[in-house]
Amino acid sequence: MSIQVGDFLINRMSEWGVNRIFGFPGDGINGIMGALNRAEDKMDFIQVRHEEMASFMACAHAKFTGEVGVCLATSGPGAIHLLNGLYDAKLDHQPVVAIIGQQARAALGSDYQQEVDLISLFKDVAHEYVQMIVDPAQTKHVIDRAFRIAKAQRTVTCIIIPNDVQALDAVEEPPHEHGTTHSGIGYAQLHLVPPATELEKAAAILNEGQKVAILIGAGALGASEEVKEVAELLGAGVAKALLGKAALADDLPFVTGSIGILGTNPSWDLMTECDTLLMVGSSFPYTEFLPKVGQARAVQIDVDERRLSLRYPMEVNLIGDSKEALRALIPYLRYKEERSWRERIESNIQEWWKVVEGKAMNEADPINPQRVFWELSSRLPDRAILVADSGTAAFWFARFIKIRAGMMASLSGNLATMCPGVPYAIAAKFAYPDRVAIALVGDGAMQMLGINGLITIAKYWKKWSNPRLVILVLNNRDLNLVTWEQRIMSGDPKFEASQDIPDFNYARYAEMLGLNGIRVETPEMVGAAWDQALAADRPTVLDMVTDPNVPTLPPNISMSQLMNFSKSMLKGDPEQAGIIKQSFKDVVKEYLP
């Protein structure tokens, strides 16, 4: 009995190791939905509330598992909804395949209802490979190439299938004749190791350096032991770009933490005072937080040659997998007997954590958001998976959470879009149902998309072997990070019409869905609320009512930023009194932790 193209699609993806698809139905993919219904034993279909959530979940699946994430949407509007999450995957170099429907072939070109030029629409986000199947004989090689290219290039690819093609008889093996091709399953992982001559050059620079700084990113996630060994040999400190936060534990004495606008003071000092820089698996964009050009000699390791010498002029560029390249480099490195640089780094880090704790315990109106993250940090379960949404949630996550070995963590790094927090956490629970997942989300992102995600959680949570999933909402009724950017970057007071958002009881909404909801309005209850949420027998929404006036300031405030902040106050910011009060408290803790 012959099978349809839709069935062949599902079977072929299963052979590629796919067992889960995130998506939302529509008549443009009815043939595929029917095939999924017939293949329940081999493929899980996770129904989301909005296609954007499907693409975020596919991206998160790729980030947390290393597998190809797959999302599915109907033609026209459904396909358009996928784009933001797909750009998140593209910019963070994650392998994702988007499968989308299209109107019947005979209608194309007639301005038919929901007809969109999908090849043109997806040509940027899926620029490595976007193809429409118009003949069943194409199906096999289009699927194979989409998955192989997504994996090999760590990028987004797209398969478009008109709805009439989905229901045609499949051609499981094209005829052996001119004009056909015969593809196969499988991807061979490439392990690049730099040549010995380049390793020797890199080692010479690193061995000569007296004040070595290491910056790691997402590319170092699988190389933690190698990074530790290199740092020990060179007496170096290690700073982390935010996508690499889980690459190295924050309880190591030489780890300075995050770098950049959301970074730590020790990371700032590390970069401004070093004479040698080793960058591993990172394309950190904010060059003002790197050493000044000419200050440091530099070596970079990256698997993508297009990323080399992009942010800082490197003397030696090593093309290779971070783990393999570092392992090959280590025999060439000499142990530095002089440890004063390392000792200073470790002293700065010890002092920094005292400052952080002091800031967290400052009083606020009503709850200091820094305390919310500080109280969580010491309570994190082993092997927890953390995700942060964009905004002040990412700011406090970067500074106040101590990642331990065995944990995972991520966020939207290069796109820095709002709204991935809740869908990332849901995808994490499907990938690792036995582990605790925690999403750290602002109320702006929660209102934009997150509350819809709670409905998806309510639909599926009983299938997870460990039901613990915590959604923290920073309920400050303000689009807080942008409010602070208006003050610091533009010198403008808060624009209430754009920044104030409606109050909403997230905890009560969670209870309405059958989830656990905890609303916290006093600082004394923060720790107990985390204890309760992390021990709950079902997913929990922690609705923390926090103070929007606690400042989100970079580790080094420039004169222009200081002037802009002063201007915003002089122009009459509506939160002026609270801002000055909270800023003063934080400044005091910098000097009297």
Side-chain angles (χ1 to χ4, degrees), residues 5 131-136 138-139 142-143 159-162 165:
V5 168
Q131 289 292 328
M132 182 162 66
I133 297 173
V134 295
D135 187 307
Q138 289 178 269
T139 310
V142 168
I143 296 169
I159 302 171
I160 304 165
I161 313 180
V165 173

Side-chain angles (χ1 to χ4, degrees), residues 86-271:
L86 293 179
Y87 273 105
D88 184 36
K90 177 188 177 181
L91 270 61
D92 282 353
H93 311 292
Q94 297 303 314
V96 169
V97 174
I99 301 169
I100 54 180
Q102 178 58 292
Q103 296 306 306
R105 291 169 295 172
L108 296 179
S110 70
D111 285 343
Y112 203 74
Q113 185 184 37
Q114 294 191 337
E115 180 190 352
V116 173
D117 183 354
L118 295 175
I119 292 178
S120 296
L121 181 67
F122 281 78
K123 195 60 180 176
D124 181 55
V125 72
H127 73 279
E128 294 285 357
Y129 193 76
V130 52
Q131 289 292 328
M132 182 162 66
I133 297 173
V134 295
D135 187 307
Q138 289 178 269
T139 310
K140 186 178 182 181
H141 72 258
V142 168
I143 296 169
D144 291 347
R145 291 208 73 205
F147 277 86
R148 187 172 290 110
I149 291 170
K151 190 74 173 173
Q153 300 296 322
R154 300 175 300 121
T155 193
V156 174
T157 60
C158 178
I159 302 171
I160 304 165
I161 313 180
N163 56 27
D164 60 321
V165 173
Q166 298 165 27
L168 294 177
D169 287 344
V171 177
E172 297 186 56
E173 188 61 57
H176 188 67
E177 61 187 31
H178 183 72
T180 64
T181 190
H182 305 269
S183 61
I185 296 285
Y187 167 73
Q189 183 72 44
L190 184 65
H191 290 284
L192 291 173
V193 179
T197 54
E198 295 303 304
L199 292 170
E200 289 174 356
K201 291 178 185 176
I205 293 170
L206 298 170
N207 288 331
E208 290 174 15
Q210 300 300 307
K211 299 178 179 180
V212 180
I214 301 175
L215 172 61
I216 61 174
L221 283 171
S224 58
E225 293 304 315
E226 288 74 17
V227 172
K228 283 193 286 186
E229 188 170 349
V230 170
E232 187 62 30
L233 286 169
L234 298 177
V238 182
K240 301 185 290 186
L242 205 45
L243 282 173
K245 185 170 176 65
L248 213 54
D250 285 305
D251 53 11
L252 294 170
F254 54 86
V255 173
T256 62
S258 298
I259 188 175
I261 296 171
L262 308 100
T264 69
N265 290 5
S267 290
W268 171 262
D269 293 340
L270 181 73
M271 291 295 152

Side-chain angles (χ1 to χ4, degrees), residues 10 69 212 243 287 291 304 319 446 482 513 549 585:
I10 302 304
V212 180
L243 282 173
T287 57
D304 185 349
I319 303 172
M446 201 65 188
V482 175
L513 294 171
N549 295 325
K585 289 179 181 179

Side-chain angles (χ1 to χ4, degrees), residues 19 74 79 135 158 294 348 374 425 488 500 543:
N19 55 29
T74 191
D135 187 307
C158 178
N348 286 347
W374 179 256
I488 302 298
D500 286 344
D543 185 355

